[in-house]
Amino acid sequence: MSAPREPEEAQKLKEEAKPYLHAPCPLLTRDRGDFLFPAYLSLSPQRPGEEGAARNPAMGDPFIRHIALLGFEKRYAPSQHYVYMFLVKWQDLSEKVVYRRFTEIYEFHKILKEMFPIEAGDINPENRIIPHLPAPRWFDGQRVAESRQGTLTEYCNSLMNLPGKISRCPHLLNFFKVRPDDLKLPTDSQVKKPETYLMPRDGKSNAADITGPIILQTYRAIADYEKSSGSEMALATGDVVDVVEKSQSGWWFCQMKTKRGWVPASYLEPLDSPDEAEDPEPNYAGEPYITIKAYTALLEDEISLEQGETIEVIHKLLDGWWVIRKEDVTGYFPSMYLQQAGQDTDQAQSRIKRGAPPRRSSIRNAHSIHQRSRKRLSQDTYRRNSVRFLQQRPRGARPGPRSPGSALKEESLKTERPKPQPAVPPRPSADLILHRCSESTKRKLASAV
């Protein structure tokens, strides 16, 4: 009895299944992620000529062969800024042009160091192989953008010479991939067209262009801060920022990742130590200043003054609230509303764009990371020391408004009896300076060296 003939559909299925039955025994493969499947269960048939060829999934992984800086471009939309043009050559010999701001490059650099702390020298500075990159400046002009070209060229060359785990890591590859913004270039219909500055073909990196790392002080926000203008930067409790500039007004220009703006210094505290001696020592001799704007005291340790009054500043604090003296009374007063005596007050009034920064004592829900807060002198201490100084100082030596007759009389006394100049104290030695500086400053100097 003959065996029944198989239907045509069964024969057709067998013919289609032959490519999947090439192995005499089930070989294990990883074609399905983390699971192991027999090779004859693979869902994709082999192509002619692929028999016996071992698959290497990593063979087609992309990597960058070379990065070349072409120059930079000055753009005016939405506001004036500079972008650098990089020619990225990939493993398939394709060349792509990408545009990156320096703030983006610096943020990429910081994350790269966090990913590879050993190679960044965080554990042992001698093991550092990741190149240095200077921090962004407060204002990046055309001269700064041009001088950075040598630094970026050297930086990119050093990146490509790093071990494969760094030079081919996803963080680096994703950063230099083409973005939609790279393809959507500024249109010529803008009021002011972009200006492109290309590097010379025979441009050689000058050693003077490669600057050392700029060490910025790091601070932490003690409370939430909502910005009130476009030039300010909002903060959340615990945010860590780098301080670029400390203004005497008490408004500090800070940066955090890609955000930059003015922040009240009273909302910030140093990460390293609460005893970091930043504020100068009080000067009870006083410096004559004039109020260019009236202020009404809101707290007991503040002082109310009208516009045009002459006072003496005895302690200039970095948070913008200075200790002033009016006759025998002392108190806090916003430094933004003060102008040094003898200077143009109209020009100083035009610089007042924002109000006085809030004081630390007025911040609600302020939370410090340090067990003990930084100690400051009380107003009673200021008054006692000020009164003691005034009692020891001759009456005629007190600064303030004087009549023209008294000024001429004083000038004649000066010509008749010249006062001996005080001796200049000797400069302390380098060892003494290092002994007196804080631990934070010592660590930063050691890392910079």
Side-chain angles (χ1 to χ4, degrees):
M1 185 176 182
S2 61
R5 296 184 60 184
E6 295 182 357
E8 295 181 0
E9 295 181 359
Q11 293 180 356
K12 187 176 180 180
L13 289 174
K14 281 186 177 182
E15 294 293 332
E16 293 180 356
K18 283 182 179 180
Y20 304 101
L21 303 177
H22 61 277
C25 61
L27 302 177
L28 298 181
T29 180
R30 282 188 175 270
D31 283 351
R32 291 294 174 265
D34 295 332
F35 298 97
L36 298 177
F37 286 85
Y40 56 78
L41 293 181
S42 175
L43 300 182
S44 57
Q46 283 188 323
R47 297 178 182 177
E50 289 185 345
E51 291 82 355
R55 294 191 56 185
N56 184 5
M59 186 178 297
D61 289 349
F63 64 90
I64 297 176
R65 294 180 179 270
H66 182 67
I67 301 175
L69 178 65
L70 301 179
F72 66 93
E73 195 171 75
K74 184 178 182 180
R75 298 180 179 178
Y76 298 93
S79 60
Q80 179 176 315
H81 63 281
Y82 296 86
V83 293
Y84 292 92
M85 301 178 294
F86 295 94
L87 180 64
V88 183
K89 188 173 184 178
W90 292 85
Q91 89 287 354
D92 58 355
L93 302 183
S94 62
E95 296 180 346
K96 307 292 183 182
V97 178
V98 297
Y99 299 81
R100 299 291 182 266
R101 292 193 183 193
F102 188 77
T103 52
E104 297 177 297
I105 303 172
Y106 185 71
E107 184 62 23
F108 154 80
H109 171 70
K110 291 177 61 177
I111 297 176
L112 188 68
K113 293 196 301 179
E114 294 175 359
M115 294 174 59
F116 302 96
I118 298 178
E119 291 77 4
D122 294 342
I123 300 176
N124 187 357
E126 296 180 356
N127 296 333
R128 174 157 191 170
I129 58 176
I130 295 179
H132 291 278
L133 187 68
R137 300 182 183 180
W138 173 36
F139 176 75
D140 294 344
Q142 182 172 336
R143 183 175 298 178
V144 176
E146 186 175 356
S147 64
R148 281 200 186 117
Q149 293 183 114
T151 304
L152 290 176
T153 300
E154 192 75 15
Y155 180 78
C156 293
N157 293 337
S158 301
L159 283 182
M160 292 295 96
N161 293 328
L162 293 177
K165 66 176 182 179
I166 304 178
S167 61
R168 300 189 182 187
C169 69
H171 175 60
L172 188 146
L173 300 180
N174 292 332
F175 180 76
F176 286 101
K177 280 184 179 179
V178 178
R179 302 174 182 173
D181 295 341
D182 299 327
L183 303 176
K184 187 180 178 181
L185 301 180
T187 60
D188 295 338
S189 60
Q190 296 176 354
V191 178
K192 211 167 186 181
K193 297 181 181 180
E195 301 175 4
T196 303
Y197 300 87
L198 298 177
M199 291 186 64
R201 293 184 178 180
D202 56 348
K204 298 180 181 179
S205 58
N206 188 2
D209 296 338
I210 305 173
T211 59
I214 301 175
I215 301 177
L216 300 179
Q217 291 181 299
T218 304
Y219 283 75
R220 174 189 176 274
I222 62 170
D224 296 341
Y225 176 72
E226 297 292 337
K227 65 178 184 179
S228 57
S229 65
S231 61
E232 299 177 17
M233 183 174 68
L235 292 176
T237 306
D239 284 348
V240 177
V241 300
D242 294 329
V243 179
V244 180
E245 178 187 355
K246 295 180 179 180
S247 174
Q248 288 188 339
S249 63
W251 291 94
W252 291 1
F253 193 81
C254 304
Q255 64 181 16
M256 181 178 60
K257 295 183 179 180
T258 57
K259 297 193 302 181
R260 309 174 79 180
W262 295 96
V263 174
S266 54
Y267 277 77
L268 302 175
E269 66 177 0
L271 284 176
D272 298 328
S273 172
D275 300 326
E276 188 177 358
E278 293 181 326
D279 296 322
E281 294 295 328
N283 177 22
Y284 291 102
E287 296 182 38
Y289 275 76
I290 299 175
T291 59
I292 57 176
K293 186 176 181 179
Y295 175 76
T296 303
L298 301 178
L299 300 176
E300 295 181 358
D301 55 359
E302 298 176 358
I303 185 172
S304 301
L305 293 174
E306 298 294 332
Q307 181 178 346
E309 295 193 45
T310 302
I311 53 90
E312 297 173 80
V313 175
I314 61 176
H315 201 182
K316 297 180 178 180
L317 302 174
L318 291 181
D319 61 358
W321 287 87
W322 291 357
V323 181
I324 66 172
R325 179 174 59 207
K326 178 68 175 178
E327 297 179 350
D328 296 337
V329 180
T330 64
Y332 288 107
F333 195 85
S335 61
M336 292 190 67
Y337 303 156
L338 295 175
Q339 175 68 20
Q340 201 163 13
Q343 297 185 1
D344 187 10
T345 58
D346 296 335
Q347 185 178 1
Q349 287 179 346
S350 63
R351 293 198 300 264
I352 301 178
K353 298 180 180 180
R354 58 177 68 90
R359 291 184 55 192
R360 175 70 65 89
S361 56
S362 64
I363 302 175
R364 296 182 179 180
N365 302 325
H367 178 67
S368 174
I369 61 175
H370 303 297
Q371 295 181 355
R372 53 193 181 93
S373 59
R374 302 170 64 186
K375 296 181 180 180
R376 280 195 171 179
L377 299 177
S378 63
Q379 286 300 323
D380 292 336
T381 305
Y382 282 120
R383 292 188 186 96
R384 288 197 305 268
N385 296 339
S386 180
V387 170
R388 187 182 300 111
F389 181 86
L390 292 177
Q391 291 175 352
Q392 297 175 356
R393 185 177 66 177
R395 293 183 179 180
R398 176 176 299 182
R402 296 182 296 271
S403 60
S406 61
L408 293 175
K409 185 177 181 180
E410 185 175 351
E411 289 294 333
S412 62
L413 291 176
K414 286 183 179 179
T415 55
E416 294 175 1
R417 299 177 183 179
K419 293 184 179 180
Q421 297 294 330
V424 179
R427 177 178 176 83
S429 62
D431 295 337
L432 182 59
I433 294 176
L434 287 176
H435 177 71
R436 291 180 177 178
C437 67
S438 63
E439 294 297 330
S440 170
T441 305
K442 291 180 182 178
R443 289 195 299 269
K444 292 177 180 178
L445 288 175
S447 62
V449 174

